[in-house]
Structure formats: C-alpha cells, structure tokens
Amino acid sequence: MSKDPERPNVVLILADNLGWGELGCYGGGILRGAATPRIDAFAKEGLLLHNFNVESDCVPTRSALMTGRHPIRTGCQQSVPAGFPQGLAPWEKTLPEILRSNGYISAHHGKWHLGDIEGRFPSDRGFDEWYGIPRTTDETQFTSAIGFVAEVVELPYIMKGKAGTPSENVHIYDLEQRRLIDEKLVECSKDWLSRQVKAKAPFFLYHPLVHLHFPTLAHPDFVGKTKHGEFSDSMVEMDFRVGQLLDHIDSLGIADNTVVIFASDNGPEFRPPWRGTAGPWSGTYHTAMEGSLRVPFIIRWPGHVPAGTTSNEIVHVTDIFSTIASITKSSLPEDRPIDGIDQTSLYLNPLEAKSPREGFLFYIKNDLRAIKWRDWKLHFIWEPEVNKSSGKLEAPYLFNTTRDPKEETDILAYNTWVAQPMLKMRAAFEKSLRSNPAPPDPLKTL
C-alpha cells in the first residue's frame, strides 16, 4: 500500500454491459426497478462523466483499456469462441506491465477476455495474481443447453493463477456458478486488499465484474429482491458488491490515497429478456449509436478530484490507460502510437477545464462506422439496431448529439462544414495506421 500522494493506489471496477441509463445517478435506479444507493452515493464523492465512450463490445473495450490503443491497432476487434486465436499479442504493453515498471503490484479479479491460453492469461500480462474467467459469461449456458455435446467444445472454467506459474482451472463455469461468481470476486479482492495494507508497494486492483452480462442471474440472496425479475435483482446485487469493495477500502484506512474508478465496458444488452437501457441515447452495444458509445464513468480521489461534480466533456476508454499512467507517474511506451489522452487536468478541475480530446473514430471490426467530434456524429454505416443495417451510406448521416440525442434527423446537407475537421481526423488516423502497424500476432497469422 502506498501512502505517497505522488504514487496513489488505484482500484478500477468495471461493470459488464451496464447501460448509461441504468444507475440512479444517471437517471435510472428506481425508475428501472432497481435502486442503486451505493453507486449513487459514490458518484457524489467524486466526478461523474456524461460523455465517457467505449468500444463496440467486450474484447475491443478491454484491449483499449489495457493498452491505450484502438482495437484496430491491436487486432482485438471482436469476441470469438474458445479454441480460436484471441487475446493481446505479446508485443502489446498492458497497464499492469507499465505500472510494474514503476514498482506497483497488481491483481485481476473478474472477467479477462483478452486471452485464454498460457502466455495470455492476466498473470502472464503484468498482473501478479488473478481469479476469474478468461472469456465470457454466455458460456455458462453450455452445460444446461438441450442437446449439449461436451466432447466437441472447450468447457468454460473459472480459473486462477499467479505470475511465473501456470494458471489452473478451479470450477466449471455453469449457471450455478454464474449466480455466485460476483460474490466470490469481491471476497478475492477484499482479501488481496487486506494483504496489500501490510506491504509498502503501491497497488493496482482491476475488478471487472461479471454483472450485468447475460445470462443476467442474481445471487440467491438477491433473487426476488426487487419483484421486477432477474435483471433488476442483478442490478441491486451489483450495487451491493460495489458497496462492499468501497466499504473495505474505507475500513482499511486507505481511501485518502486510493483512486477509485467505476465504469462500464459497453452499452446495454440488446437480447431479451436481458435488454438494458441507455437512457436518452438510442442503441445498444454492437452498434455505433450513442447508446453503445456512452456508458457510466465515476472517479473518486479525495483531495484531488472535487466531490459532487459532473462533466459532459468527451473522454474515451483509451484515456484510462494514459491517465492512470500520469496519476501514478508511470512511463508510457514510446515505441508505438498511444491513442489514449491524459485526462488528469479535466478530472482535477472539471468545472473549468476542457477535455484535451475533441473526438475519436469508432470501428466495429475493420469497418469505420462513425466519427465523433465535439457535439457532432458522422455515420458511414447505418445500423441503429443490431442486425438491422442499411449498409454503407453513399451520403453519410450527420447528427448533433446535443440537439438530437437519439440521432433521428440527418442534417449533413445544412452542415457540410463539419465534414472537414472530421475527415481530417480520419486521414490523420489512417496515416498513423499505415505508418505504425503492430507486428503480426503469431497466433492470428497461422
């Protein structure tokens, strides 16, 4: 544990598929049948962002967070089944790896989804220890599915590992364990945090929750709590689990020198009965709509980030990488483009400072779907709902996301000037892609 204000401890809690409109502090909560008092109270202790943006689904967002680089650079562009090449190439530098170079110790408790073989587990990519799932949660349905044939698939497991030793299977990840896993992950993080208090090194805890990924099933203690079904019950459990972590940080007396971030990896689920909401924004994850891009983000750093503040400045998930590096005085890699921008100045003075980021390009797999710049959004492929695409547009659609948050009225014909700065962003990024390609991933080039 660090007491040095120049090298604060960092706890990053990442929800899975939590839409912008679910939490009480984002206009949801009891309106969604699930009060979220712990996260709502946490939001009042720091800065809440209204315009924090992520990638299209789990793998791209998590790779962007871990490397500070867009997935189109790293090749981590989509979720793929077990047995197929996946994960971050060894050449990529991860957040815990750059923190380790600065004397930090780190742990991962939760969903990884950036590699499921030796050499690509969290304990191989900078984390000193880990416990959780290497891939994703829909796999819990495998063993209960009618007609399931175990011999033709790789079974999903909850796993654990430590740096320098092979990771090992702990338990089949089935529907029973789906209900129990977030409780177990909190137990792991609480135990690890308690051990760090006795150590002198600064620490980084990455706690990617399993909730609210489908199948969205609550712990038995929470089933029926809301009387609005499993999804709302799971929301209440998620809020409780975050509260457990915050309470433990407070009880250890380390809150004052610990940066705590709570965010989501993606917009809401689109599949019933687990479909979520993005509040005033249209769309779900796997689209380029604002409901896919914008998700919750809250940061608390006592004495540094002012309490009870909000901002609508643009921030991107890659910025987490660069900002944590800045806050911890850790060095960024200098041999590759880093897309993340240091947002420390915004976090420390959100009422007056502007984000140094004006926008970003949004890809799904290899396709440039949209460009976001200031209050404007330019769509090149129109897919307002998953699997309902109109294909590539001959004339792109332009929306002002302040005046038209649901992206309903194309106004490009009256605002063609906006295309100039946007297309300049595109040209600069594409030039960077050509000039600075990542080395081929040996797994993905077989």
Side-chain angles (χ1 to χ4, degrees):
M1 176 194 71
S2 172
K3 295 182 180 180
D4 181 357
E6 295 296 311
R7 302 171 77 209
N9 311 299
V10 179
V11 174
L12 174 56
I13 305 168
L14 192 71
D16 200 339
N17 300 344
L18 173 67
W20 194 98
E22 303 288 10
L23 301 173
C25 52
Y26 279 88
I30 59 173
L31 299 183
R32 291 285 291 143
T36 53
R38 296 310 310 271
I39 298 175
D40 296 349
F42 174 65
K44 295 178 181 178
E45 297 172 350
L47 168 65
L48 179 151
L49 297 183
H50 292 297
N51 203 348
F52 174 70
N53 299 266
V54 293
E55 298 289 340
S56 62
D57 73 89
C58 300
V59 169
T61 288
R62 290 159 196 266
S63 69
L65 189 160
M66 280 290 117
T67 66
R69 288 157 52 82
H70 284 297
I72 192 76
R73 294 192 193 275
T74 64
C76 294
Q77 296 163 274
Q78 66 181 108
S79 302
V80 296
F84 287 82
Q86 58 185 287
L88 286 169
W91 180 81
E92 298 290 345
K93 288 291 184 182
T94 67
L95 182 55
E97 286 172 339
I98 69 165
L99 291 173
R100 174 185 285 175
S101 298
N102 192 26
Y104 276 71
I105 53 177
S106 60
H108 171 294
H109 300 133
K111 172 181 172 178
W112 175 234
H113 221 171
L114 291 176
D116 62 350
I117 61 172
E118 289 299 331
R120 301 202 176 194
F121 291 124
S123 50
D124 304 313
R125 299 315 315 265
F127 290 100
D128 294 285
E129 62 182 72
W130 81 288
Y131 182 100
I133 56 174
R135 291 183 301 274
T136 189
T137 290
D138 49 275
E139 295 178 345
T140 59
Q141 302 172 112
F142 283 5
T143 56
S144 302
I146 297 173
F148 172 69
V149 181
E151 292 78 13
V152 300
V153 300
E154 293 187 22
L155 291 176
Y157 279 90
I158 297 171
M159 302 183 68
K160 66 178 181 180
K162 293 186 176 181
T165 62
S167 293
E168 60 187 63
N169 295 334
V170 176
H171 201 290
I172 287 282
Y173 190 36
D174 56 16
L175 291 177
E176 178 183 3
Q177 290 299 314
R178 167 66 184 94
R179 293 189 182 276
L180 304 177
I181 189 168
D182 274 308
E183 177 186 45
K184 178 62 176 179
L185 296 176
V186 168
E187 290 174 359
C188 289
S189 285
K190 288 173 64 177
D191 172 71
W192 188 82
L193 287 168
S194 296
R195 284 184 275 134
Q196 302 324 305
V197 171
K198 301 175 183 178
K200 294 182 180 180
F203 66 77
F204 170 54
L205 170 63
Y206 179 40
H207 188 104
L209 295 153
V210 169
H211 277 327
L212 297 163
H213 197 287
F214 83 93
T216 312
L217 304 175
H219 186 281
D221 292 349
F222 291 85
V223 173
K225 279 276 188 181
T226 67
K227 297 182 172 56
H228 289 288
E230 290 274 17
F231 188 89
S232 295
D233 293 344
S234 298
M235 281 276 294
V236 169
E237 183 191 355
M238 181 191 70
D239 183 69
F240 178 78
R241 300 300 176 205
V242 173
Q244 285 183 301
L245 291 172
L246 296 173
D247 287 345
H248 196 63
I249 290 169
D250 290 343
S251 71
L252 294 174
I254 59 175
D256 287 347
N257 199 41
T258 300
V259 179
V260 181
I261 296 171
F262 174 86
S264 176
D265 70 336
N266 295 124
E269 177 59 61
F270 62 89
R271 302 171 179 91
W274 309 292
R275 185 180 177 109
T277 180
W281 318 106
S282 293
T284 64
Y285 77 145
H286 291 285
T287 73
M289 305 299 287
E290 282 295 282
S292 173
L293 275 60
R294 296 199 197 207
V295 298
F297 178 100
I298 304 164
I299 180 171
R300 182 185 77 181
W301 188 11
H304 299 271
V305 174
T309 52
T310 66
S311 175
N312 193 42
E313 293 292 303
I314 294 178
V315 177
H316 189 263
V317 63
T318 53
D319 300 343
I320 290 179
F321 179 89
S322 300
T323 305
I324 289 179
S326 173
I327 287 173
T328 60
K329 305 297 187 293
S330 301
S331 298
L332 294 176
E334 297 180 352
D335 60 345
R336 66 203 66 194
I338 298 296
D339 300 305
I341 297 174
D342 179 11
Q343 296 285 356
T344 305
S345 61
L346 173 65
Y347 296 166
L348 299 185
N349 187 19
L351 298 181
E352 297 180 8
K354 296 292 184 181
S355 170
R357 175 182 291 280
E358 288 204 308
F360 56 90
L361 279 64
F362 186 82
Y363 287 82
I364 295 182
K365 300 173 185 174
N366 286 312
D367 295 327
L368 178 60
R369 294 294 189 98
I371 297 176
K372 186 166 174 173
W373 177 77
R374 297 184 181 177
D375 293 334
W376 302 89
K377 183 97 159 285
L378 190 66
H379 286 263
F380 299 98
I381 297 174
W382 184 242
E383 189 175 9
E385 295 184 39
V386 179
N387 296 331
K388 294 184 179 180
S389 173
S390 301
K392 187 175 181 180
L393 299 171
E394 180 65 24
Y397 291 162
L398 178 70
F399 304 98
N400 185 288
T401 56
T402 298
R403 299 194 292 268
D404 182 15
K406 291 193 177 297
E407 299 169 89
E408 295 174 321
T409 305
D410 170 32
I411 54 174
L412 178 61
Y414 319 109
N415 297 276
T416 53
W417 68 271
V418 179
Q420 289 190 36
M422 287 184 158
L423 296 180
K424 286 179 180 177
M425 282 177 55
R426 176 181 181 173
F429 185 77
E430 290 179 344
K431 180 179 180 181
S432 175
L433 284 178
R434 292 191 300 270
S435 303
N436 299 279
D441 184 335
L443 278 186
K444 299 174 186 177
T445 55
L446 293 177

